[in-house]
Amino acid sequence: MPDYLAGIDIGSTMTKVVIMDNGIISSVMGPTGPEQRRLANKVMEEALRRVNLSFKEITYLVATGYGRINVPFADKQITEITCHAKGAAHFFAEARTIIDIGGQDSKAIKIQDGRPIDFVMNDKCAAGTGRYLEVTADALGIPIEKMGPTALGAKNPAQISNICTVFAEQEVVARLAEGVPLDDLVAGILESLASRISRMVNRLKVEKELVITGGGAKNVGLVTALSEKLGCTARVPPEPLLTGAVGAALLGKDMVGKALKQGLPLEKKERSLREISLY
Amino acid sequence: MAEEQKKEERKKRKTATEAASKIGGMVKAAIGGTVRAKEEGKKLAYSFIVCSYDEIIRAMDIVPVWTENYAGICGAKRDAQRFLERAESLGFSRSLCTYALCGLGFDQWREELGEMPPDAPWGGQARPDMMLSSGQILCDPRNKWYQAAQQFMPDVPIYDVGLPWPMYEDDIEVSEIQDYYIAYIVAELRGLVKFLEEQTGRNMDYDRLSDLVDLGEKTWNLIWETYELRRSVPTPMGTGDAMNTMVPMVFMLGTQEGYDFFAELNRELKEKIAKGEGVVPDEKYRLLWGGGLPSWFALTDFNYFNSKGAVFPVETTYRMIEPTYRLNIPDTDDPIERLAWRWLGYWTYWFDKAKKRPGSEPDVERLIQYIEDYQIDGVVMHEAFSCRTWHLGLIWQLNQLKKIYKPIPVLVLGAGDKKSLEHRELPSLILESDIVDISSYSEVDTRARIDAFIETLESTKKSKADQQ
């Protein structure tokens, strides 16, 4: 029987599950939200159902993401930094710098041979995160997934001067009322976000290959703006939201392999596929 | 809310040493002592730590009121917000030093009421009879704080001692400039003595001052010897405790109580070393606290590091001493001159080392020395948003370190010009918050960073082992 390895990445906005054997055999993404975080087990159940596996058949399960603590059905918790490094290196063996743009934070990771050697995080301000996109997309009345393609048509990106998400929302509405074309305005928003992220990333001194992961990587306009600002073309995994979960599953695989090789017992927990307790 | 605050107070940080666990009581007694001294009619002076003139104040029987200490206590007790908010409502920017803001908010409130603000932490900060600034190059609150406080206490005079901190230049020899600096510092300190004599109506007793300077120097040597004991593996004391033991170092210099504290700590550390007792039972990672004042309200983060097997055998913050043999203090009977030489020697000691490494700086050399002496695996720094003094150089220092401790094997020239391949990678972590303002802090986010850093340390350790 093959080993089935699972990774679950409980982010602030989305919960992602990946099940792997020699490659990804199942993946599911579901919203996290304030209430759904409790129900991360449902996302796991769905991933298992799709490949007709029972929970017991999972050899090892690693949880990551901000919600990784207290996951009762994980064998081990590993931070997003290590999991994204592993996941990005899986998709791009030459990856040296990773930018993960999540719903509530963003981070940059410097890696070597697939392991993190340095990192910086922005967890203080929404202005450098996916939340900025959500708020401004809402203010403009366009779906967030349309922002990237819309920005690509811009001729004269607007200047968004406010560094606060709340004030930027007001500014965007005002600029729209002034008659600034939508594509220029969206391009300006993405420029502004890219500028904030690149300031953080530059602390690490970017080296090629640059890989962008997380929800922000699905925005082609943001990826383009970041590539320009950082002076190198960014690579994006096939499903950037899954990078952390893939890394988690692969780290689990490494642990299983190492235990087997060294003849040592595998570090495992008594696990059960039930709701996460928030208390 | 009040109930929650009480619960917070009960959540004490776990100390590794008995000595450190006594500090809270000592500080409380000292603050209570200033309030009593005021009632007894003694002269009180607002003062800054690391001011160089501790012994002068003591010799004049003036009771120092350490204003940075009181702000830190408000922070540690998670009761600074009301004073910060008061300062903000007076028009002070929230971006200023939060020690100063907390103190200004407190002072204005006390002056308005004519008594201590309600439930003032540990009885409150007593009204001073004078305020002694001690300006340094970067820390502008050391000049400006008391000037701002004078708005609420116009009758309280200020004496501003200008204390130079020579800028490092790799083409300038300290010996070429030191006489100028010494003459300047001596003049500043003599000016202070004159001011204090005017304020107290008494003359300085120079024999007594000499005795206290002797005691101060003896204390510096004892502290250095005691802290060097922390080189042991496992280390018997970490930075979390050092953030307590800084109290007798910088608030009690020139007192027998301060000296006795370190004699006791020295004895305790030797006992722990003899028994092989460390801060944690299984020491996995030895870290250097490479700069930045701590978040006084979150000292339990040091316990969190400990829970992961990480210890801090050394720190640059509040290690404000060097053994006196390093300071080139000349043989003189003048205690004022000795204080001046001690000050200048402390700030210039690392200059010569920096000259030997092109592109380096004294602060970086100090970090390198500690990394080597204490067998350090990683560096942690804290960027407190409101402390420009510390904040400015940290990133630069880390970047300099990264040039030396690279994540790739490097050829190192050893004894007899023998080359060897070494794996010197040194992960680093920057924590971001503040010294007093708790609104800048998230325990969840901070600990997520610490978790990621610990994983980085672990993977670096494995990588080094694989490459051996």
Side-chain angles (χ1 to χ4, degrees):
Chain A
M1 191 180 87
D3 279 322
Y4 294 111
L5 295 313
I8 181 165
D9 177 359
I10 306 176
S12 58
T13 312
M14 300 290 282
T15 295
K16 292 81 71 176
V17 170
V18 160
I19 300 175
M20 302 180 81
D21 49 16
N22 290 322
I24 298 172
I25 58 169
S26 178
S27 64
V28 177
M29 294 184 276
T32 301
E35 176 60 16
Q36 284 90 334
R37 188 193 147 195
R38 226 164 36 86
L39 304 174
N41 56 320
K42 300 287 178 201
V43 186
M44 186 74 219
E45 281 168 9
E46 175 61 16
L48 290 164
R49 191 194 61 74
R50 288 188 186 182
V51 281
N52 201 26
L53 283 174
S54 71
F55 185 59
K56 283 184 182 165
E57 287 175 279
I58 299 297
T59 309
Y60 207 74
L61 195 159
V62 172
T64 188
Y66 100 106
R68 69 185 181 281
I69 312 295
N70 300 334
V71 175
F73 47 89
D75 291 299
K76 191 167 177 68
Q77 277 81 21
I78 300 179
T79 66
E80 308 94 289
I81 301 290
T82 304
C83 291
H84 275 270
K86 187 75 177 175
H90 170 74
F91 292 113
F92 304 103
E94 301 301 315
R96 293 298 308 275
T97 310
I98 302 161
I99 303 172
D100 174 44
I101 305 164
Q104 302 283 355
D105 70 4
S106 54
K107 47 189 102 61
I109 312 160
K110 196 85 167 275
I111 68 171
Q112 188 157 308
D113 305 324
R115 67 184 180 88
I117 55 171
D118 205 354
F119 64 90
V120 286
M121 295 168 88
N122 163 31
D123 44 29
K124 300 276 181 215
C125 174
T129 74
R131 183 73 190 138
Y132 184 78
L133 291 179
E134 284 176 14
V135 168
T136 50
D138 200 39
L140 292 172
I142 62 167
I144 192 166
E145 58 274 14
K146 291 262 175 76
M147 288 185 94
T150 304
L152 294 181
K155 292 183 181 64
N156 186 21
Q159 286 277 326
I160 306 295
S161 55
N162 270 297
I163 58 165
C164 167
T165 302
V166 176
F167 291 136
E169 182 185 8
Q170 293 171 3
E171 187 178 350
V172 162
V173 173
R175 301 301 296 275
L176 198 61
E178 283 169 17
V180 176
L182 184 66
D183 48 4
D184 284 349
L185 202 44
V186 174
I189 289 166
L190 298 181
E191 278 276 325
S192 158
L193 179 55
S195 177
R196 261 159 240 152
I197 294 171
S198 62
R199 264 180 264 165
M200 172 189 73
V201 179
N202 277 327
R203 274 191 178 193
L204 290 184
K205 305 207 182 328
V206 174
E207 285 180 59
K208 293 177 183 172
E209 292 284 329
L210 168 68
V211 178
I212 303 183
T213 66
K218 293 172 86 92
N219 186 316
V220 64
L222 179 58
V223 171
T224 306
L226 269 170
S227 296
E228 282 170 11
K229 287 207 179 295
L230 297 170
C232 57
T233 306
R235 313 287 297 273
V236 176
E239 176 42 81
L241 273 167
L242 291 179
T243 316
V246 168
L250 290 170
L251 286 164
K253 187 178 183 180
D254 286 352
M255 284 170 208
V256 172
K258 190 179 167 190
L260 204 64
K261 191 176 163 190
Q262 297 181 345
L264 296 170
L266 189 59
E267 182 193 336
K268 289 190 77 159
K269 286 185 184 149
E270 282 292 319
R271 52 177 155 96
S272 65
L273 193 51
R274 57 186 163 84
E275 285 182 7
I276 293 174
S277 164
L278 298 181
Y279 306 103
Chain B
M1 183 62 191
E3 198 54 36
E4 280 172 22
Q5 280 179 351
K6 278 179 194 167
K7 278 179 191 166
E8 290 286 2
E9 283 171 27
R10 280 198 289 270
K11 214 168 71 178
K12 280 189 176 174
R13 194 183 69 79
K14 195 178 155 202
T15 59
T17 59
E18 278 292 314
S21 70
K22 292 176 187 164
I23 291 292
M26 287 168 71
V27 177
K28 196 172 182 179
I31 289 171
T34 58
V35 176
R36 273 197 309 281
K38 183 77 186 169
E39 289 163 2
E40 290 164 7
K42 289 181 183 165
K43 294 284 187 188
L44 269 59
Y46 271 9
S47 306
F48 290 100
I49 64 164
V50 194
C51 58
S52 91
Y53 48 75
D54 307 64
E55 290 96 330
I56 292 176
I57 308 175
R58 304 279 180 191
M60 294 294 293
D61 282 327
I62 290 166
V63 179
V65 178
W66 307 106
T67 47
E68 292 150 299
N69 185 23
Y70 193 69
I73 286 161
C74 293
K77 292 177 76 64
R78 302 193 169 197
D79 194 14
Q81 292 309 108
R82 55 185 174 138
F83 306 121
L84 295 174
E85 283 161 14
R86 182 164 273 260
E88 198 173 4
S89 70
L90 293 166
F92 294 108
S93 164
R94 196 65 181 256
S95 306
L96 297 174
C97 165
T98 44
Y99 280 166
L101 287 180
C102 183
L104 290 167
F106 185 94
D107 280 347
Q108 190 274 342
W109 201 346
R110 185 194 59 215
E111 294 305 301
E112 185 181 284
L113 293 173
E115 61 183 22
M116 294 296 178
D119 300 320
W122 286 354
Q125 180 165 261
R127 190 179 202 271
D129 298 290
M130 63 200 92
M131 298 189 270
L132 310 177
S133 298
S134 62
Q136 287 176 355
I137 285 173
L138 281 175
C139 184
D140 48 344
R142 291 174 79 100
N143 292 107
K144 295 292 176 188
W145 177 349
Y146 295 164
Q147 288 175 13
Q150 219 173 26
Q151 294 174 59
F152 321 122
M153 297 180 280
D155 56 319
V156 179
I158 294 174
Y159 188 84
D160 191 355
V161 186
L163 289 166
W165 175 358
M167 297 298 280
Y168 171 72
E169 302 279 353
D170 59 9
D171 59 349
I172 292 178
E173 292 292 334
V174 173
S175 58
E176 288 171 9
I177 57 168
Q178 65 188 14
D179 288 348
Y180 168 80
Y181 277 105
I182 291 296
Y184 179 79
I185 300 167
V186 165
E188 288 291 299
L189 294 179
R190 293 207 197 287
L192 172 67
V193 171
K194 189 164 173 262
F195 171 79
L196 297 180
E197 286 176 337
E198 285 166 7
Q199 293 301 312
T200 58
R202 289 196 304 272
N203 290 330
M204 169 64 85
D205 177 344
Y206 282 94
D207 289 337
R208 188 175 176 213
L209 179 59
S210 259
D211 290 344
L212 291 180
V213 174
D214 283 346
L215 181 60
E217 289 178 4
K218 209 168 85 166
T219 306
W220 270 38
N221 289 331
L222 178 62
I223 297 171
W224 185 78
E225 184 203 311
T226 304
Y227 275 26
E228 286 288 278
L229 294 171
R230 295 164 59 198
R231 286 193 195 194
S232 292
V233 181
T235 192
M237 176 181 145
T239 296
D241 279 20
M243 294 302 163
N244 287 5
T245 58
M246 54 74 86
V247 166
M249 180 194 299
V250 296
F251 299 117
M252 294 180 181
L253 190 65
T255 68
Q256 191 61 42
E257 188 185 5
Y259 180 85
D260 291 345
F261 176 88
F262 283 102
E264 181 63 20
L265 179 63
N266 189 290
R267 186 195 56 73
E268 187 185 351
L269 294 190
K270 282 176 178 163
E271 272 178 21
K272 281 180 175 290
I273 292 165
K275 289 187 214 161
E277 271 180 24
V279 173
V280 296
D282 181 18
E283 186 177 287
K284 290 182 186 162
Y285 318 106
R286 292 167 68 85
L287 306 177
L288 161 63
W289 182 267
L293 301 172
S295 297
W296 291 109
F297 44 77
L299 289 180
T300 50
D301 283 342
F302 285 107
N303 291 147
Y304 189 71
F305 275 105
N306 295 159
S307 73
K308 307 284 175 186
V311 294
F312 289 85
V314 64
E315 60 287 321
T316 52
T317 308
Y318 296 128
R319 189 164 162 140
M320 311 303 294
I321 46 95
E322 291 291 345
T324 49
Y325 74 80
R326 289 181 173 175
L327 307 180
N328 299 322
I329 300 173
D331 192 14
T332 169
D333 291 334
D334 183 348
I336 299 285
E337 277 192 22
R338 280 163 66 192
L339 289 174
W341 282 98
R342 190 173 79 194
W343 174 266
L344 190 72
Y346 175 78
W347 294 110
T348 55
Y349 170 68
W350 297 93
F351 282 24
D352 287 343
K353 281 181 178 289
K355 283 186 179 186
K356 290 176 186 156
R357 198 189 311 266
S360 189
E361 288 267 350
D363 285 345
V364 177
E365 287 306 310
R366 190 179 179 207
L367 292 171
I368 293 169
Q369 188 74 51
Y370 288 170
I371 287 163
E372 300 300 328
D373 287 350
Y374 288 80
Q375 303 173 59
I376 292 301
D377 300 307
V379 181
V380 179
M381 293 180 171
H382 177 221
E383 280 185 351
F385 80 85
S386 77
C387 181
R388 290 186 295 277
T389 311
W390 273 101
H391 201 131
L392 282 169
L394 292 181
I395 300 288
W396 187 87
Q397 288 171 26
L398 267 189
N399 287 338
Q400 294 301 103
L401 281 184
K402 281 175 187 168
K403 290 178 188 169
I404 294 163
Y405 299 97
K406 293 178 178 173
I408 50 169
V410 289
L411 272 176
V412 175
L413 206 57
D417 287 347
K418 198 177 166 187
K419 287 178 183 172
S420 61
L421 207 56
E422 285 191 11
H423 307 277
R424 312 178 80 187
E425 182 179 351
L426 195 75
S428 58
L429 171 70
I430 295 180
L431 299 172
E432 292 170 84
S433 180
D434 188 45
I435 41 182
V436 168
D437 188 347
I438 198 169
S439 68
S440 64
Y441 177 75
S442 157
E443 184 173 282
V444 171
D445 293 337
T446 301
R447 296 192 173 182
R449 285 184 192 214
I450 294 171
D451 287 348
F453 180 60
I454 295 290
E455 286 173 7
T456 308
L457 287 167
E458 184 58 29
S459 78
T460 302
K461 205 171 168 182
K462 279 183 185 156
S463 167
K464 282 183 181 173
D466 292 345
Q467 290 169 28
Q468 295 298 336

